[in-house]
Amino acid sequence: MKSILLILGAVFILYIVYRVYRLQTLDNGLPELIRKGAVILDVRTEKEYQTGHIEGSINISLGTIRERYVELDPEKTYITVCSHGLRSVKVETILKEKGFKRVYNGGAWSDLQTTLSKKQ
């Protein structure tokens, strides 16, 4: 019984840490940025992207971003998305290291899609 409670407690703590992480790293005002022409950069694998994505988004995976970032225009605004929000934070950091000034974390692509559909 003790081990079950410990496991449940650990799962609960991990969930809380994940939710706090998402709130701290997710940028606000994303729908407005998209209305102003921001590009949604989906950083999941090609296979993941094919299973569903935000219409109009482009796909460059985290695994290839260090080579393919040259395909992006540093003057544009980008919103990075992935399946849960972890890879998008990494790509946001990489692009900023490469000199991109306007890169924002959009978190999970499905959450952003839901947000965008509510704003329409």
Side-chain angles (χ1 to χ4, degrees), residues 40-55:
I40 299 171
L41 179 61
D42 193 318
V43 301
R44 296 175 297 149
T45 65
E46 192 174 317
K47 196 172 221 173
E48 287 175 295
Y49 184 79
Q50 290 172 356
T51 64
H53 57 272
I54 298 172
E55 188 176 330

Side-chain angles (χ1 to χ4, degrees), residues 3-120:
S3 60
I4 291 173
L5 289 175
L6 287 173
I7 291 170
L8 289 175
V11 168
F12 179 72
I13 289 170
L14 286 173
Y15 174 77
I16 296 299
V17 167
Y18 171 73
R19 296 303 292 178
V20 168
Y21 171 81
R22 283 200 59 224
L23 288 173
Q24 289 180 337
T25 59
L26 195 61
D27 293 299
N28 294 320
L30 299 179
E32 182 61 28
L33 288 173
I34 292 168
R35 278 193 289 283
K36 291 180 178 180
V39 177
I40 299 171
L41 179 61
D42 193 318
V43 301
R44 296 175 297 149
T45 65
E46 192 174 317
K47 196 172 221 173
E48 287 175 295
Y49 184 79
Q50 290 172 356
T51 64
H53 57 272
I54 298 172
E55 188 176 330
S57 63
I58 61 172
N59 178 231
I60 300 177
S61 71
L62 169 61
T64 62
I65 195 68
R66 291 189 190 279
E67 296 83 31
R68 294 186 59 197
Y69 78 93
V70 295
E71 299 172 24
L72 303 173
D73 181 354
E75 300 302 314
K76 288 188 176 182
T77 301
Y78 293 96
I79 298 171
T80 59
V81 295
C82 62
S83 58
H84 299 292
L86 299 175
R87 288 177 280 182
S88 59
V89 171
K90 289 179 183 177
V91 170
E92 176 188 17
T93 302
I94 291 168
L95 290 177
K96 286 180 177 178
E97 288 171 355
K98 300 291 185 185
F100 288 73
K101 302 285 186 234
R102 294 181 300 274
V103 184
Y104 302 91
N105 177 29
W109 76 272
S110 55
D111 291 345
L112 181 57
Q113 184 175 41
T114 300
T115 300
L116 293 174
S117 64
K118 288 179 184 177
K119 298 285 182 182
Q120 292 177 349

